[in-house]
Amino acid sequence: MREPPNPIRLGMVGGGRDAFIGAVHRTAARLDDNFHLVAGALSSTPDKALASAADLGLPRGYGSWEEMLERERALPESERIEAVSVVTPNHLHFPVAKAFAEAGFHVICDKPLVHTSVQARELTRIVAEKGLVFGVTYNYTGYPMVREARRLVHDGAIGRVRKVIVEYNQGWLATRLEATGDNKQSQWRTDPERSGIGGAIGDIGSHAENLVSTITGLELDSLCADLTTFVPGRELDDDANLLLRFEGGARGILTVSQIEVGEENDLRIRVYGETGSLTWHQEDPNRLVHKTLDGPARLLTRGNGYLGAAATAATRIPAGHPEAFLEAFANVYAGIADAIRGVDGADYPTVVDGARGVAFIESTVQSAGSDAKWTPMRPVTR
Amino acid sequence: MREPPNPIRLGMVGGGRDAFIGAVHRTAARLDDNFHLVAGALSSTPDKALASAADLGLPRGYGSWEEMLERERALPESERIEAVSVVTPNHLHFPVAKAFAEAGFHVICDKPLVHTSVQARELTRIVAEKGLVFGVTYNYTGYPMVREARRLVHDGAIGRVRKVIVEYNQGWLATRLEATGDNKQSQWRTDPERSGIGGAIGDIGSHAENLVSTITGLELDSLCADLTTFVPGRELDDDANLLLRFEGGARGILTVSQIEVGEENDLRIRVYGETGSLTWHQEDPNRLVHKTLDGPARLLTRGNGYLGAAATAATRIPAGHPEAFLEAFANVYAGIADAIRGVDGADYPTVVDGARGVAFIESTVQSAGSDAKWTPMRPVTR
Amino acid sequence: MREPPNPIRLGMVGGGRDAFIGAVHRTAARLDDNFHLVAGALSSTPDKALASAADLGLPRGYGSWEEMLERERALPESERIEAVSVVTPNHLHFPVAKAFAEAGFHVICDKPLVHTSVQARELTRIVAEKGLVFGVTYNYTGYPMVREARRLVHDGAIGRVRKVIVEYNQGWLATRLEATGDNKQSQWRTDPERSGIGGAIGDIGSHAENLVSTITGLELDSLCADLTTFVPGRELDDDANLLLRFEGGARGILTVSQIEVGEENDLRIRVYGETGSLTWHQEDPNRLVHKTLDGPARLLTRGNGYLGAAATAATRIPAGHPEAFLEAFANVYAGIADAIRGVDGADYPTVVDGARGVAFIESTVQSAGSDAKWTPMRPVTR
Amino acid sequence: MREPPNPIRLGMVGGGRDAFIGAVHRTAARLDDNFHLVAGALSSTPDKALASAADLGLPRGYGSWEEMLERERALPESERIEAVSVVTPNHLHFPVAKAFAEAGFHVICDKPLVHTSVQARELTRIVAEKGLVFGVTYNYTGYPMVREARRLVHDGAIGRVRKVIVEYNQGWLATRLEATGDNKQSQWRTDPERSGIGGAIGDIGSHAENLVSTITGLELDSLCADLTTFVPGRELDDDANLLLRFEGGARGILTVSQIEVGEENDLRIRVYGETGSLTWHQEDPNRLVHKTLDGPARLLTRGNGYLGAAATAATRIPAGHPEAFLEAFANVYAGIADAIRGVDGADYPTVVDGARGVAFIESTVQSAGSDAKWTPMRPVTR
């Protein structure tokens, strides 16, 4: 268990009353005592922002992120926040992350990173120029068994990758939840102004894309997308099915949906190589199945000595004592903390991973509107 | 348990020494005592055909199917075979089935039905003209829980269908097994002369297509296919990924592969409707998961009183006493026997289902060679 | 697939209209074409016996087993039955099996073998004197993965056995089904006259005991039993919980029940040795989990090349094409057929296994009525 | 997500370097921001205690619990700790908890509570007299689906309980790990001086007993135990098998082991009532299976609207986003925090639950040494 003695001072933008993901970020930041949340502009409505800060007993609550930026910069270095978590709806990621990065603060930003590749490129540039840490909370990469899968592919345990099947099945938007008036999560996620050009493909397709990239290291060459809006009155896609072609010849399927009735948070990946395969399922995250050309399937479970260093470092408690979503999220925060502290090999998704996600969403939407079978994947700035 | 007193006299073409599926058909025919196998031309090599018949103690072994046809026709009606099972490699399905059908014998034929839609149309015509029973052994339709899924969709238990995900994952051809010299199954299946234009898409894609058609009743409107041959030296596809569009607006994913290392016979289907969903998995065939907009998932298991009539009729033994592949295969034979006996509502896949499969394979191969995103599904003669 | 050319001529006692297990035996006998059922006295009521035989189109139907015995003995050796299957309620096992064995017929008898150890000893003696084959249909031993478990224990894959947990959970008698008047299965099974001194412990506890014996080869030293009748008005136990001590120091738990609401046919066994463990579950019979001191769990599946000879011999179709209850039952019949044909190493449960089951039931009932903690297991004649 | 503004000031005794459970308690205390750890005497070795406190950056590190007690009492009420967590090896639970309780601090103590019923009675008395909160960290009761199971039993969803099967399977002590010299966890747990009279039965049997008590509310009437020490040289039991009889006629099986090779932390419970049953498994904690006399099994999953208030209150994130061991542990801490804050209906295991566990261990050890079949459960002071 990591419990470092000097937590990093953290600020937060977004995540106040009625928000969901803010509390997840706070818990993830706190779980290993890597960060202390000391400041926040938790809502775009000043009164609500201040009330939300008071709810949490935050030392420094602000009415807006602009105020927070100005006031924190004015504090002595030993007091002011060292990093900021941006957990607003998507459309605010860019202005907030940009402003804090330009001011020299490390940034933790939820996904998808920004609305456009142009914005992603600008953030990437600033981060490089300022020498900052910029983490994107592709939280599923924090699961130990995802890290073990990445290691096994990298170490050749399944040979050269031939095929990937990645799925992210949800059902919570099978009806027009956003029209019921009291579900903030569904409202902004189905609103192009706040969510961007992708619906399901942006919200969860980005996770699926990143999971493939993280585990296999493959680069997308081109894709063929069919985006559908099943629920009448909705503007963005709520279902997406893609054929994938990777550089080097691997093939793939990516399917994500938010209208699959009864599915909860069913993110799955299967990676097939020339000599083996791997299967992982987010709802059963402590297991990883490794199959080979001969011999029985091997059922790897979190917490055992036969696992690699990255999986082990991401594990707090023994095998059979399950760890889950919040612990994985905390592992991403821990990796970012490592990076801020200058630890070598800090393990977390970067702004480039975020930019890749944006390029993927843009390429997918372009393909969906095209009669051409294959749409090239847009280039990603590094 | 069905154990009718007067079994139907059956002949078989193909299925001799070294064959696999012949013994499966014989077991399926025998399991409920619906058929007695009395004649056979079990190989294309006369000596082997006769030896294979002797192995089994068949009353009447023949050296060729032509001889069998001629000699059986000459027998008195009370002695000659009533139906013939065609279990040869694919390229012989058409000539054999056509000849026996024209001679007035009922036909049971393995899938895929024939090589071309033209052939399928001809068979369909003959069957209609002669008033014959012609069953195609899409054996997975014989599983009780597949029949229950069909009933639930039909009865509206999941509302209008929006999306289908069907997969058939195998790994047995991940290496070039057909070049090892002693695996007959892999040899003819990877040979375009004997297998037809489809590799994996023909061999198991046809099962996947039929499973969707059986359960949902949806008609394919168009499809977008990516066929790949991963194993060097192989001529036919060993991996196929498709986007599907159905008449009426439903969408789908179909993925089949024979190079997914470690997968055995992993046929799965998920059907998502407006108000519910169904999940079934061939390797765990006695269960069917039914999810709804509210309430917990319902885990339906074979043999229980809450299931519909078709599932119940396809069940021999009580819940918890698993039935599996051979029993499902026998259910298809039982449905064909019912049809031959003139039972109302006999439940089995017909020549039209076979023809649909052929059209699907042709459409898929056409799409794979096309730069157009969507290829229309070819029409199916009824 | 076994399809021997010369099936053995079989007769059957019991298993007519309204019976369940008779049809299972007939299917098992027929599935591999090892036996042809040519004669039967299918009910204790002569009219029903004859009608049942007619239902099945049996060549020789008899009104009683006594008549069948007399008439078959009078037939020429090349026509008369070679073996008889006894599938009556338990109380008739002894007289029928004894009479046919004394007349020199091979016998296949359902479990539990007989009512008392005295009867078991007499049968054992006759079988030995006459040099007959006498198989007891402990059908779960026919599962390939049970045979693989037996091999792994025998070959030392888990080291010396320390602990066994065996369970057989059913729920079908959670209410007083036998009082509803139309369920023959529940009626005789809850009637001490027909079922013997054991209720659940006799009907399914005998399977559990035999599964332990088959896989581990351990001999019971003593046991401590708590038998309960939960359903008011029932005479025999419907729930049994036992602590087990084996010769050599291994310990065990055996729990069987017919009142566990919602359980279907949930037979499970776990065997823990000094260096590994095995887990098998009848409702998911194609898998066997093998765990070791180090390394990930190994998931063995039926049909693969890494399995031993006994599992492979009991397998008809490839991995991923599940085989189940009827195939396992047929494997027991196949082993008995091997024995009748004089095949070396024929693999089937013998009259001694049946006698052990009777001793186990007697010891359990004795323990249940005793205040002593440990009751010695009764000796078994070999 | 609970994130109350005013965390409770917490001290800790035990849980320094080399300890395992201390970090778990700290994470659980911190996860929801219910507690701030401000003081600690983290080891029985003063130097190590101070160094461990420095590792964590604790505001007030002490060399011994006696010093901590004295110094904290001397602090102003607004600064001193409000509660203490006792996470030492078992033998120190009693003196530490007693001293802090007598001084008026709330106490959180790991299980098993103490070594003897006499000690348990004394603690119970002090707690009652002082009006303190005393929580025992039976952490598995913190799982939402355990609370749902408790609710369903209480609300009659399965009718009157007839039978319980509870298991806690582990394999980590299958070899003599305590003799390797560097595994502190195994050393004190196998040492009667520090662990008490129970080995596996004390360490994990107490969890199993408590889980039954929590979910069913049943009181043990008597039990029959077989305790075994399989690993040579070990003094305490490493395997325990029990038959249980409850007041009112229910029956049960309890089996716990630490020598079952390959098992990780496999705590399971099945509860069978007259009209339904429940199954829960700690390694898959977000699901609860509910079976009924008719109809398919219902698969309840954490985070859904159909669950009861207690499960919902113990849930932070949506369905499909799994919560696990640490979150369940944090739920116990949250319940204790509620109690300290005077919230009505605070949900946590009390000193009486702890006392029941001690009585259970004593009764089990007595039974294991007795030739009598049934040993009465010792009375529990309330």
Side-chain angles (χ1 to χ4, degrees):
Chain A
M1 307 273 286
R2 323 152 181 268
E3 295 179 297
N6 298 305
I8 294 162
R9 292 181 304 282
L10 181 69
M12 180 170 279
V13 178
R17 292 178 177 174
D18 298 342
F20 151 61
I21 204 67
V24 169
H25 278 256
R26 288 191 293 271
T27 303
R30 185 168 59 225
L31 196 134
D32 300 308
D33 226 10
N34 272 310
F35 294 88
H36 274 189
L37 184 65
V38 295
L42 303 177
S43 171
S44 52
T45 311
D47 286 356
K48 196 164 155 191
L50 294 171
S52 298
D55 287 351
L56 299 171
L58 276 203
R60 302 192 293 275
Y62 299 103
S64 72
W65 65 266
E66 293 91 342
E67 180 196 355
M68 173 164 142
L69 177 57
E70 187 185 327
R71 301 260 299 269
E72 289 290 322
R73 291 176 79 168
L75 289 175
E77 196 176 336
S78 64
E79 287 181 36
R80 71 172 174 238
I81 60 170
E82 298 164 84
V84 65
S85 276
V86 186
V87 300
T88 61
N90 301 343
H91 66 299
L92 295 173
H93 289 181
F94 180 66
V96 176
K98 181 168 180 273
F100 277 84
E102 284 179 333
F105 292 98
H106 301 299
V107 179
I108 301 165
C109 185
D110 215 310
K111 45 45 59 186
L113 179 61
V114 286
H115 275 4
T116 70
S117 278
V118 172
Q119 295 171 340
R121 207 167 300 130
E122 188 165 348
L123 281 188
T124 306
R125 184 185 53 75
I126 297 168
V127 167
E129 282 175 14
K130 296 276 181 180
L132 298 173
V133 173
F134 193 112
V136 180
T137 48
Y138 285 117
N139 51 288
Y140 299 111
T141 67
Y143 274 114
M145 301 316 279
V146 168
R147 294 186 173 180
E148 182 67 11
R150 182 183 63 184
R151 177 184 84 87
L152 288 169
V153 173
H154 184 267
D155 288 0
I158 63 168
R160 187 176 171 182
V161 173
R162 284 172 167 170
K163 182 171 181 181
V164 180
I165 304 177
V166 65
E167 320 168 40
Y168 202 147
N169 306 291
Q170 293 186 336
W172 67 295
L173 294 178
T175 60
R176 204 167 166 210
L177 189 59
E178 65 270 31
T180 58
D182 58 355
N183 187 292
K184 192 186 160 188
Q185 298 309 314
S186 60
Q187 285 163 10
W188 76 255
R189 279 185 168 82
T190 56
D191 173 7
E193 292 298 315
R194 287 177 282 175
S195 192
I197 57 174
I201 194 65
D203 190 27
I204 58 177
S206 55
H207 276 301
E209 175 277 323
N210 179 260
L211 192 64
V212 174
S213 174
T214 297
I215 291 177
T216 69
L218 291 174
E219 299 283 346
L220 268 173
D221 174 86
S222 53
L223 49 78
C224 172
D226 192 19
L227 298 188
T228 308
T229 303
F230 279 109
V231 174
R234 189 168 287 164
E235 291 182 61
L236 293 169
D237 65 278
D238 48 25
D239 185 81
N241 302 311
L242 283 81
L243 306 180
L244 307 178
R245 288 187 161 185
F246 297 95
E247 294 180 7
R251 296 288 188 267
I253 288 269
L254 184 150
T255 178
V256 304
S257 186
Q258 296 180 315
I259 57 86
E260 290 173 352
V261 174
E263 303 299 4
E264 298 185 342
N265 200 45
D266 184 29
L267 172 64
R268 296 169 186 256
I269 187 166
R270 285 169 279 177
V271 183
Y272 297 100
E274 293 185 351
T275 61
S277 65
L278 296 171
T279 301
W280 181 77
H281 181 200
Q282 193 271 151
E283 295 187 358
D284 186 17
N286 293 285
R287 310 205 306 178
L288 176 67
V289 180
H290 177 205
K291 297 179 179 175
T292 57
L293 285 171
D294 304 308
R298 304 165 73 234
L299 192 57
L300 290 76
T301 49
R302 191 194 50 79
N304 283 296
Y306 51 74
L307 301 175
T312 300
T315 295
R316 291 164 192 77
I317 48 177
H321 300 68
E323 293 188 83
F325 184 91
L326 291 171
E327 289 80 357
F329 219 113
N331 287 336
V332 171
Y333 265 83
I336 295 169
D338 282 348
I340 292 174
R341 290 174 180 135
V343 173
D344 260 6
D347 195 347
Y348 69 103
T350 68
V351 71
V352 175
D353 295 303
R356 185 185 299 106
V358 174
F360 168 74
I361 296 167
E362 288 176 327
S363 305
T364 298
V365 172
Q366 180 186 335
S367 170
S370 164
D371 287 337
K373 193 163 179 177
W374 297 105
T375 296
M377 170 71 173
R378 302 200 173 188
V380 181
T381 308
R382 265 147 236 279
Chain B
M1 309 273 285
R2 322 152 181 269
E3 295 179 297
N6 297 306
I8 294 162
R9 292 181 305 281
L10 181 69
M12 179 170 281
V13 178
R17 290 178 178 176
D18 301 341
F20 151 61
I21 204 67
V24 169
H25 279 257
R26 288 191 292 272
T27 304
R30 186 168 59 226
L31 197 134
D32 300 308
D33 226 11
N34 271 311
F35 293 89
H36 273 189
L37 184 66
V38 295
L42 302 177
S43 172
S44 52
T45 311
D47 285 356
K48 197 164 155 191
L50 294 171
S52 298
D55 286 350
L56 299 172
L58 276 202
R60 301 192 293 274
Y62 299 103
S64 72
W65 66 265
E66 292 91 343
E67 181 196 353
M68 173 164 142
L69 177 58
E70 187 185 327
R71 303 260 298 270
E72 289 290 322
R73 290 176 79 168
L75 290 174
E77 196 176 336
S78 64
E79 288 181 36
R80 69 171 174 240
I81 59 170
E82 299 164 82
V84 66
S85 276
V86 185
V87 301
T88 62
N90 301 342
H91 66 299
L92 294 172
H93 290 181
F94 180 66
V96 177
K98 180 168 181 271
F100 279 85
E102 284 180 331
F105 293 98
H106 301 298
V107 179
I108 301 165
C109 185
D110 215 312
K111 43 46 62 189
L113 178 62
V114 287
H115 276 3
T116 69
S117 277
V118 173
Q119 295 171 340
R121 208 166 300 130
E122 189 165 348
L123 281 188
T124 306
R125 184 185 52 76
I126 297 168
V127 167
E129 283 176 14
K130 296 275 181 180
L132 298 173
V133 173
F134 193 112
V136 180
T137 49
Y138 284 117
N139 51 288
Y140 299 111
T141 65
Y143 275 114
M145 301 316 279
V146 168
R147 295 187 173 179
E148 181 67 10
R150 182 183 64 184
R151 177 184 83 88
L152 288 169
V153 173
H154 183 267
D155 289 1
I158 64 168
R160 188 177 170 179
V161 174
R162 283 173 167 169
K163 182 170 181 181
V164 179
I165 304 177
V166 65
E167 319 168 42
Y168 201 147
N169 306 290
Q170 293 186 337
W172 68 295
L173 293 177
T175 61
R176 202 165 167 214
L177 190 59
E178 65 270 33
T180 58
D182 58 355
N183 187 291
K184 191 185 162 189
Q185 298 310 313
S186 59
Q187 286 163 9
W188 75 256
R189 279 185 167 81
T190 56
D191 172 7
E193 292 299 314
R194 288 178 282 176
S195 192
I197 57 174
I201 195 65
D203 190 27
I204 58 177
S206 55
H207 276 301
E209 175 276 325
N210 178 261
L211 193 63
V212 173
S213 173
T214 298
I215 291 177
T216 69
L218 291 174
E219 299 284 345
L220 268 173
D221 174 84
S222 54
L223 49 78
C224 172
D226 192 17
L227 299 188
T228 308
T229 305
F230 279 109
V231 174
R234 188 168 287 163
E235 292 182 62
L236 293 169
D237 66 280
D238 48 25
D239 185 81
N241 303 310
L242 284 81
L243 305 180
L244 307 177
R245 289 187 162 186
F246 297 95
E247 293 180 9
R251 295 289 188 268
I253 288 269
L254 183 150
T255 178
V256 304
S257 186
Q258 295 180 316
I259 57 84
E260 291 173 351
V261 175
E263 302 300 4
E264 298 185 343
N265 201 45
D266 185 30
L267 171 64
R268 296 169 187 256
I269 188 166
R270 286 168 279 177
V271 182
Y272 297 101
E274 294 185 351
T275 61
S277 65
L278 296 170
T279 300
W280 181 78
H281 181 199
Q282 193 270 150
E283 295 187 358
D284 186 17
N286 293 284
R287 308 205 306 177
L288 176 68
V289 180
H290 178 206
K291 297 179 180 176
T292 57
L293 285 171
D294 304 308
R298 304 165 73 233
L299 193 56
L300 290 77
T301 49
R302 189 194 52 78
N304 282 295
Y306 51 73
L307 301 175
T312 299
T315 295
R316 291 164 192 78
I317 47 178
H321 300 68
E323 293 187 85
F325 184 91
L326 292 171
E327 289 81 356
F329 219 114
N331 287 335
V332 171
Y333 265 82
I336 296 169
D338 282 349
I340 291 173
R341 290 176 180 134
V343 173
D344 259 5
D347 195 346
Y348 69 102
T350 67
V351 71
V352 174
D353 295 302
R356 186 186 298 107
V358 174
F360 168 75
I361 296 167
E362 288 177 327
S363 305
T364 297
V365 172
Q366 180 185 336
S367 170
S370 164
D371 288 336
K373 194 164 181 176
W374 297 106
T375 296
M377 171 71 174
R378 301 199 173 188
V380 181
T381 308
R382 265 147 238 279
Chain C
M1 307 275 285
R2 322 153 181 267
E3 294 179 297
N6 298 305
I8 294 162
R9 292 181 303 281
L10 181 68
M12 180 170 278
V13 178
R17 291 178 178 176
D18 300 341
F20 151 61
I21 205 66
V24 169
H25 278 257
R26 288 191 293 271
T27 303
R30 184 168 61 226
L31 197 134
D32 300 307
D33 226 10
N34 272 311
F35 293 89
H36 274 189
L37 184 65
V38 296
L42 303 177
S43 172
S44 52
T45 311
D47 287 354
K48 195 164 156 191
L50 294 171
S52 299
D55 286 349
L56 298 172
L58 274 203
R60 303 192 292 274
Y62 299 103
S64 73
W65 66 265
E66 293 90 344
E67 180 195 354
M68 172 165 143
L69 176 58
E70 185 185 330
R71 302 261 299 268
E72 289 290 322
R73 292 176 78 167
L75 289 174
E77 194 175 339
S78 63
E79 287 181 38
R80 71 171 174 239
I81 59 169
E82 298 164 84
V84 66
S85 275
V86 185
V87 300
T88 61
N90 302 343
H91 66 298
L92 294 172
H93 289 181
F94 179 67
V96 177
K98 179 167 182 273
F100 278 85
E102 284 179 331
F105 293 97
H106 302 299
V107 178
I108 301 166
C109 184
D110 215 314
K111 43 48 57 187
L113 179 61
V114 287
H115 276 2
T116 70
S117 279
V118 172
Q119 295 171 338
R121 207 168 300 129
E122 187 163 351
L123 281 188
T124 306
R125 184 184 54 74
I126 296 169
V127 167
E129 283 174 14
K130 297 275 181 180
L132 298 173
V133 173
F134 193 113
V136 180
T137 49
Y138 285 117
N139 51 289
Y140 300 111
T141 66
Y143 275 113
M145 302 315 280
V146 167
R147 294 186 173 179
E148 181 67 9
R150 181 183 64 185
R151 177 185 82 89
L152 288 168
V153 172
H154 183 267
D155 288 1
I158 63 168
R160 186 176 171 180
V161 174
R162 284 173 166 168
K163 183 171 179 181
V164 180
I165 305 177
V166 65
E167 319 167 41
Y168 202 148
N169 305 290
Q170 293 185 337
W172 68 295
L173 293 178
T175 60
R176 202 166 168 212
L177 189 60
E178 66 269 32
T180 58
D182 58 357
N183 188 292
K184 190 185 162 189
Q185 298 309 313
S186 60
Q187 285 164 10
W188 74 256
R189 279 184 169 81
T190 56
D191 172 7
E193 292 298 314
R194 287 177 283 175
S195 192
I197 58 174
I201 195 66
D203 189 27
I204 58 177
S206 55
H207 277 301
E209 175 277 323
N210 178 261
L211 192 63
V212 173
S213 173
T214 297
I215 291 177
T216 69
L218 291 174
E219 299 283 345
L220 269 174
D221 174 85
S222 54
L223 50 78
C224 172
D226 192 19
L227 299 187
T228 308
T229 304
F230 279 110
V231 174
R234 189 169 287 163
E235 291 183 63
L236 292 170
D237 66 279
D238 48 26
D239 185 81
N241 302 310
L242 283 79
L243 305 180
L244 307 177
R245 290 186 161 185
F246 297 95
E247 293 180 9
R251 296 288 188 267
I253 289 270
L254 184 151
T255 178
V256 304
S257 185
Q258 294 180 315
I259 58 85
E260 291 172 352
V261 175
E263 303 300 3
E264 297 184 343
N265 200 45
D266 185 29
L267 171 64
R268 297 170 187 255
I269 188 165
R270 286 170 279 178
V271 183
Y272 297 100
E274 292 184 352
T275 62
S277 64
L278 296 170
T279 301
W280 181 78
H281 181 199
Q282 194 271 151
E283 294 187 359
D284 186 17
N286 293 284
R287 310 205 307 178
L288 175 68
V289 181
H290 177 205
K291 297 179 179 174
T292 56
L293 284 171
D294 305 308
R298 305 165 75 233
L299 193 56
L300 291 76
T301 49
R302 190 194 50 79
N304 282 294
Y306 50 74
L307 300 176
T312 299
T315 295
R316 290 163 192 79
I317 47 177
H321 300 68
E323 293 188 84
F325 184 90
L326 291 171
E327 289 82 356
F329 219 113
N331 287 335
V332 171
Y333 265 82
I336 296 169
D338 282 349
I340 291 173
R341 291 175 179 134
V343 173
D344 259 6
D347 195 348
Y348 69 101
T350 67
V351 71
V352 175
D353 295 302
R356 185 185 300 106
V358 174
F360 168 75
I361 296 167
E362 287 175 329
S363 305
T364 297
V365 172
Q366 179 186 338
S367 169
S370 165
D371 288 335
K373 194 164 182 176
W374 298 105
T375 296
M377 171 72 173
R378 301 200 174 189
V380 181
T381 308
R382 266 149 236 278
Chain D
M1 306 275 285
R2 323 152 180 267
E3 295 178 296
N6 298 305
I8 295 162
R9 291 181 304 281
L10 181 69
M12 180 170 279
V13 178
R17 292 178 176 175
D18 300 342
F20 150 62
I21 204 68
V24 169
H25 278 257
R26 288 192 292 272
T27 303
R30 186 168 60 226
L31 197 133
D32 301 307
D33 226 10
N34 271 311
F35 293 89
H36 274 188
L37 184 65
V38 295
L42 303 176
S43 171
S44 52
T45 311
D47 286 355
K48 196 164 157 190
L50 294 171
S52 298
D55 287 351
L56 299 172
L58 275 202
R60 301 192 293 274
Y62 299 103
S64 72
W65 67 265
E66 293 91 343
E67 181 195 354
M68 173 164 143
L69 176 58
E70 186 184 328
R71 303 262 296 269
E72 290 289 323
R73 292 176 80 168
L75 289 174
E77 195 175 337
S78 64
E79 287 180 36
R80 71 171 174 239
I81 58 170
E82 298 164 83
V84 65
S85 276
V86 185
V87 300
T88 62
N90 301 343
H91 66 298
L92 295 173
H93 289 180
F94 179 66
V96 177
K98 179 168 182 272
F100 279 85
E102 284 179 332
F105 293 98
H106 302 298
V107 179
I108 301 165
C109 185
D110 215 312
K111 43 47 61 188
L113 179 61
V114 287
H115 275 3
T116 69
S117 279
V118 173
Q119 295 171 339
R121 207 167 300 130
E122 187 164 350
L123 281 188
T124 306
R125 183 186 53 75
I126 296 168
V127 167
E129 283 175 13
K130 296 276 180 180
L132 299 173
V133 174
F134 193 112
V136 180
T137 49
Y138 285 117
N139 50 288
Y140 299 111
T141 65
Y143 275 113
M145 301 316 279
V146 168
R147 294 187 173 179
E148 181 67 10
R150 182 184 62 186
R151 176 184 83 89
L152 288 169
V153 173
H154 183 267
D155 289 1
I158 63 168
R160 187 176 172 180
V161 174
R162 283 173 167 168
K163 182 171 180 181
V164 180
I165 304 177
V166 65
E167 320 168 40
Y168 201 147
N169 305 291
Q170 294 186 335
W172 69 295
L173 293 177
T175 60
R176 202 165 167 213
L177 189 60
E178 65 270 32
T180 59
D182 58 356
N183 188 292
K184 192 185 160 186
Q185 298 310 312
S186 61
Q187 285 163 11
W188 76 254
R189 278 184 168 82
T190 56
D191 173 7
E193 292 299 314
R194 288 177 283 175
S195 192
I197 57 174
I201 195 67
D203 190 27
I204 58 176
S206 55
H207 276 301
E209 174 278 323
N210 178 261
L211 193 63
V212 174
S213 173
T214 298
I215 291 177
T216 68
L218 291 174
E219 300 283 346
L220 268 172
D221 174 84
S222 53
L223 49 78
C224 172
D226 191 18
L227 299 187
T228 307
T229 304
F230 279 110
V231 173
R234 188 167 287 162
E235 291 182 62
L236 293 170
D237 66 280
D238 48 25
D239 185 81
N241 303 310
L242 283 81
L243 306 180
L244 307 178
R245 290 187 160 185
F246 298 94
E247 294 180 7
R251 296 288 189 266
I253 289 268
L254 184 149
T255 177
V256 304
S257 185
Q258 296 181 315
I259 57 87
E260 291 173 352
V261 175
E263 303 300 4
E264 298 186 342
N265 201 45
D266 184 30
L267 171 64
R268 296 170 187 255
I269 188 166
R270 286 169 278 177
V271 183
Y272 297 100
E274 293 185 351
T275 61
S277 65
L278 296 169
T279 301
W280 180 79
H281 181 200
Q282 193 272 150
E283 295 188 358
D284 186 17
N286 293 284
R287 309 205 305 179
L288 176 67
V289 180
H290 178 205
K291 297 178 179 174
T292 56
L293 284 172
D294 304 308
R298 303 165 75 232
L299 193 56
L300 290 76
T301 50
R302 189 194 51 79
N304 283 294
Y306 50 73
L307 300 175
T312 299
T315 294
R316 291 163 191 79
I317 47 178
H321 300 69
E323 293 188 84
F325 184 90
L326 292 172
E327 289 81 357
F329 219 114
N331 287 335
V332 171
Y333 265 83
I336 296 170
D338 282 349
I340 292 173
R341 291 176 180 134
V343 174
D344 260 6
D347 195 346
Y348 68 103
T350 67
V351 71
V352 174
D353 295 303
R356 186 186 299 106
V358 174
F360 168 74
I361 296 167
E362 289 176 328
S363 305
T364 298
V365 172
Q366 180 186 336
S367 169
S370 164
D371 287 337
K373 193 163 182 178
W374 297 105
T375 297
M377 171 72 173
R378 300 198 175 190
V380 182
T381 308
R382 268 149 234 278

